[in-house]
Amino acid sequence: MPTVAAPELKSLRVLVLGGTGEARRLAERLARAPGIDAVMSLAGRTNAPLDVGMPTRIGGFGGVEGLMRYLTEAGIDRVIDATHPFAARISANARAACAALGVPLAVFSRPPWRVREGDRWTEASDNESAARALGEAKRRVFLTIGRLGVAAFRASPQHEYLIRSIEPPESQDLPPLSTVILARGPFEREDEIALMREQRIDVVVTKNSGGASTYAKIEAARALYLEVIVIAPPAYGDIPRLADLDAAMVFLGASATP
Ligand code: NAP
């Protein structure tokens, strides 16, 4: 009697664009999921990236074209963009490459912070408009936007800046009246209040990065009744946003079958 071969189950090939805690959590879940064959992509910004328990590729793809080539050659069926909300270039590249190839794409990232009672927020669309929003009169500014955005504040040289970043900004990027402190979150509310008091801060400038680890500066500013200039994250357009890990599994699960 002829034997009928069982249909071969094809795993769903998933590319996770990473570099965040959210991507690591997603990787842990995907590594345990049957029928999913995922690969993590990191930009290569840190020298010793954490093991995420799945195959990892490191380094840029070479723009939209390079990403399209990778998606095709690696046979990727789905892409999840779990990069930092302010990693705008790779997210735009993912949108363009996936749209061109018809590969479904979703965004998995933390929601931005929302203004709460007692907050004194001024919203800005980018670093340049945040620098303008500081106004003409000299102020003491706590600048916590990452080292790469600091140069935009050279356009407002009258202010005194306390700049906090993980790695030092380039010296040519610094506004003339700058002090740099190096620190990596998470930060505590009481420590942030103490720092802002000691440094006689008038205004805080931050990216709206969402998440808990750097939220203490927002709470401290609220407690001290300080203005916070909040730079909005870039828009995602109409790309579906996955609210949690279960939503990510639904996005993948529908096609994780033969
Ligand atoms: P970006 O400006 O959006 O990306 C710059 C270039 O880096 C991209 O065009 C791409 O190069 C490459 N790249 C970025 N993320 C990649 C990834 N996951 N896999 C492969 N290539 C990637 O990004 P960024 O702001 O420099 O951030 C770089 C990485 O650090 C991201 O993975 C992000 O999740 C993480 N991160 C960023 C921030 C932030 O505040 N921006 C904070 C924490 C972590 P090609 O064009 O050559 O493909």
Side-chain angles (χ1 to χ4, degrees):
M1 200 160 121
T3 50
V4 181
E8 205 178 303
L9 293 182
K10 179 188 172 298
S11 294
L12 191 79
R13 291 275 289 150
V14 179
L15 173 67
V16 177
L17 298 170
T20 58
E22 286 77 16
R24 281 199 298 279
R25 286 195 293 122
L26 180 62
E28 279 168 19
R29 180 78 174 259
L30 294 186
R32 289 186 273 117
I36 288 182
D37 174 13
V39 58
M40 172 71 73
S41 176
L42 300 173
R45 296 287 189 271
T46 45
N47 291 329
L50 297 173
D51 180 5
V52 292
M54 67 166 52
T56 301
R57 63 160 303 287
I58 295 181
F61 296 95
V64 178
E65 305 250 305
L67 181 52
M68 286 173 65
R69 205 173 314 118
Y70 175 85
L71 294 176
T72 306
E73 286 172 3
I76 298 294
D77 301 305
R78 292 278 187 282
V79 177
I80 297 186
D81 176 3
T83 58
H84 189 273
F86 280 83
R89 195 131 53 95
I90 186 70
S91 295
N93 290 354
R95 283 197 295 274
C98 288
L101 295 173
V103 174
L105 165 72
V107 169
F108 180 62
S109 73
R110 59 194 99 157
W113 300 316
R114 302 267 173 229
V115 67
R116 294 214 194 144
E117 198 180 335
D119 283 336
R120 292 179 56 213
W121 282 18
T122 300
E123 307 243 11
S125 54
D126 53 24
N127 294 322
E128 288 69 22
S129 53
R132 284 193 298 276
L134 289 169
E136 291 304 318
K138 178 174 180 171
R139 301 169 90 184
R140 282 189 61 82
V141 182
F142 186 25
L143 190 58
T144 63
I145 53 158
R147 68 188 176 94
L148 298 178
V150 163
F153 291 81
R154 288 177 63 82
S156 297
Q158 70 276 31
H159 305 297
E160 290 178 351
Y161 294 93
L162 176 69
I163 298 170
R164 183 172 70 194
S165 53
I166 296 174
E167 289 176 16
E170 299 288 333
S171 53
Q172 71 269 18
D173 289 348
L174 293 174
L177 308 173
S178 297
T179 305
V180 176
I181 50 175
L182 301 182
R184 180 193 290 272
F187 300 102
E188 298 295 330
R189 176 181 179 277
E190 297 314 313
D191 296 337
E192 296 289 61
I193 289 176
L195 178 69
M196 290 182 201
R197 278 212 175 108
E198 187 185 290
Q199 295 287 332
R200 293 173 288 106
I201 295 299
D202 301 312
V203 55
V204 178
V205 182
T206 180
K207 295 196 279 195
N208 190 343
S209 300
S213 75
T214 60
Y215 188 65
K217 62 190 161 188
I218 302 286
E219 297 179 301
R222 186 185 304 137
L224 297 173
Y225 202 57
L226 295 181
E227 182 189 5
V228 185
I229 297 176
V230 180
I231 301 169
Y236 288 111
D238 54 2
I239 304 301
R241 247 193 120 109
L242 306 169
D244 52 28
L245 291 175
D246 289 339
M249 299 317 290
V250 170
F251 171 68
L252 301 175
S255 307
T257 46

